[in-house]
Amino acid sequence: MKTITTTDDLAAFCAEARKHPYVTVDTEFLRERTYYSKLCLVQLAMPGEGDEGAVLVDPIGNDMSMEPLYALFRDTSVVKVFHAARQDLEIFFVDAQVFPEPLFDTQVAAMVCGFGDQVGYETLVRKIARETVDKSSRFTDWSRRPLSEAQKAYALADVTHLRLVYEYLAAELAKKGREKWVAEELTMLTNPETYRARPEDAWLRVKTRTTSGKFLAVVRELARFREEYAQTKDVPRSRIYKDDALVELASTKPRSLNDLAKSRLLLREARKGDIADGILAAVEAGVNCPPEEYPQMPTLREKQQVNPALADLLRVLLKAKTESAGVAAKLIANATDLDALAAGYRDVPALNGWRREVFGADAERLCEGRIALAAKGPNVRIVSLD
């Protein structure tokens, strides 16, 4: 198996890849010790059999530019094929603000083709390629060198089997006329907003037991500081302070280093230096926030009035429609979406695009009392009441 370690070799491979209709792509990375994912390896494969046309790209310890790969990503004549692409795409977007175009995600395609919810790569390889994937190196430290032959074989298998999986799913989508369904799903993956962590919104991820604006103002400022510090220093949020410590700080509102020293949950490193100064400044900003600028928690739909009988009927309808269409139910709507529909909300994804075609239109008619459901043996049928 070939390992690329120079820009020239990467450029040569990418030039050859442009002669083919698609290339399969995967990455290995680490994120345990950093805020941003650290790219450790890129796996690429052109159409072929076995290891033919497949390479490993090793960016660690080599003075190599990834620009030839990014140029290939921009070449719209070659489909870039991933499985569960989100984390891979985040790496490339953060590094070069580039998205592969056109993009094909076999996990999304498999859900549209009826392989179940968030189907794993190993499952698709077993069902489509009739092969098994050795996952013994799944939890390896990909930043350490040299890589063993077992690690290389494991990494390469993530793109070699992917070729057959892609060809099969692409043919199934074309046969069923569902290419546009997948294209709709992938628009979120290629939206830059999907990968931008805004410090001012970081507080929304912190779970608290109170909705007091005065309290949330301090939570917001503490979360904002933590996010900005983590991004600047490229360290995990939890290395600065964890959510439970953040909530404790918002409750106790320390005003001095002596106050910080009394915290039960704050890490020792956070009680001094830049982090301590940032905490005290954030608490002060939150405490002095004018009431008209207090943050407000988003309205929780589950606290709204849900018609439980209607919610149950929507679940029956969803099961029937997705089984008939051969598509994963969770790709159409989750339990929260169904409860929102039963509570009278109409701003849910299930009522738009291809989801409306499969489920949304009939779901809306059911909510309006224009159709009923009837069971006959194992089947559920729709009865018009218009």
Side-chain angles (χ1 to χ4, degrees):
M1 61 189 74
K2 182 178 181 180
T3 301
I4 290 176
T5 59
T6 69
T7 304
D8 288 345
D9 284 349
L10 179 59
F13 175 88
C14 293
E16 185 65 26
R18 286 195 176 90
K19 300 176 183 178
H20 298 274
Y22 71 85
V23 60
T24 55
V25 189
D26 190 35
T27 69
E28 305 299 341
F29 57 88
L30 288 180
R31 199 172 190 169
E32 288 80 6
R33 298 184 293 272
T34 57
Y35 181 90
Y36 299 104
S37 295
K38 178 182 179 182
L39 181 63
C40 299
L41 198 68
V42 181
Q43 304 97 283
L44 303 166
M46 297 178 282
E49 295 183 2
D51 291 351
E52 175 189 351
V55 298
L56 302 176
V57 181
D58 188 354
I60 292 184
N62 302 306
D63 186 18
M64 177 174 60
S65 169
M66 299 298 289
E67 183 53 37
L69 177 62
Y70 297 148
L72 175 61
F73 283 175
R74 298 184 188 101
D75 187 340
T76 57
S77 69
V78 183
V79 178
K80 273 64 71 171
V81 182
F82 293 74
H83 180 82
R86 192 188 188 287
Q87 290 182 302
D88 303 311
L89 298 187
E90 182 179 13
I91 293 172
F92 300 130
F93 176 73
V94 170
D95 184 52
Q97 290 73 57
V98 63
F99 288 117
E101 185 183 0
L103 170 69
F104 190 97
D105 189 320
T106 55
Q107 185 177 71
V108 174
M111 293 172 73
V112 168
C113 289
F115 279 86
D117 299 326
Q118 296 181 321
V119 59
Y121 178 64
E122 306 97 296
T123 300
L124 290 180
V125 170
R126 185 176 68 253
K127 290 185 175 181
I128 295 175
R130 305 297 180 187
E131 298 281 354
T132 57
V133 177
D134 179 11
K135 305 302 287 186
S136 59
S137 297
R138 176 182 297 182
F139 301 110
T140 193
D141 183 349
W142 290 102
S143 66
R144 300 186 65 178
R145 294 295 182 271
L147 295 174
S148 68
E149 291 303 309
Q151 287 175 309
K152 292 179 181 179
Y154 163 88
L156 210 60
D158 281 344
V159 289
T160 52
H161 298 313
L162 190 57
R163 296 177 293 202
L164 186 57
V165 171
Y166 162 69
E167 291 172 3
Y168 175 87
L169 291 174
E172 283 294 297
L173 291 172
K175 186 191 306 182
K176 296 179 178 181
R178 296 182 179 179
E179 298 101 322
K180 289 184 177 179
W181 293 15
V182 173
E184 280 186 38
E185 293 304 299
L186 296 183
T187 56
M188 186 186 72
L189 287 178
T190 54
N191 182 348
E193 290 303 313
T194 301
Y195 307 98
R196 288 190 177 124
R198 300 186 182 279
E200 62 269 24
D201 296 329
W203 68 277
L204 292 167
R205 291 193 299 268
V206 180
K207 294 182 179 179
T208 67
R209 295 182 178 180
T210 177
T211 58
S212 162
K214 188 174 183 179
F215 176 80
L216 291 177
V218 183
V219 169
R220 179 179 61 189
E221 297 308 317
L222 286 167
R224 187 205 304 267
F225 163 70
R226 181 178 65 175
E227 199 75 16
E228 290 174 344
Y229 191 91
Q231 291 177 354
T232 301
K233 301 294 185 180
D234 193 20
V235 295
R237 299 181 192 95
S238 60
R239 293 285 181 90
I240 304 166
Y241 43 83
K242 297 181 180 180
D243 282 1
D244 55 356
L246 188 155
V247 173
E248 179 193 47
L249 292 169
S251 299
T252 59
K253 300 177 181 60
R255 299 299 185 97
S256 67
L257 293 178
N258 286 334
D259 291 340
L260 283 183
K262 300 173 184 177
S263 170
R264 296 182 303 107
L265 302 174
L266 197 62
L267 298 172
R268 181 177 301 174
E269 294 78 9
R271 304 181 187 208
K272 57 186 178 180
D274 292 343
I275 297 179
D277 291 342
I279 290 173
L280 296 177
V283 170
E284 182 178 6
V287 169
N288 294 329
C289 177
E292 61 271 19
E293 296 180 11
Y294 284 165
Q296 294 183 348
M297 293 293 292
T299 301
L300 298 177
R301 285 177 170 169
E302 56 265 30
K303 291 187 176 180
Q304 303 303 309
Q305 188 62 44
V306 176
N307 182 330
L310 180 55
D312 287 343
L313 287 173
L314 286 167
R315 284 167 171 75
V316 172
L317 177 66
L318 178 64
K319 187 173 187 297
K321 298 292 281 188
T322 53
E323 286 182 352
S324 175
V327 61
K330 285 187 178 178
L331 195 59
I332 302 280
N334 57 33
T336 301
D337 293 332
L338 297 179
D339 286 344
L341 284 170
Y345 289 94
R346 294 296 178 264
D347 58 336
V348 296
L351 298 184
N352 300 307
W354 68 271
R355 291 178 175 85
R356 182 174 185 83
E357 176 185 342
V358 176
F359 168 74
D362 282 333
E364 200 165 37
R365 292 170 65 204
L366 181 64
C367 292
E368 294 169 355
R370 296 165 54 199
I371 62 172
L373 303 180
K376 186 175 182 181
N379 301 316
V380 174
R381 65 186 181 90
I382 295 173
V383 179
S384 176
L385 300 178
D386 289 338

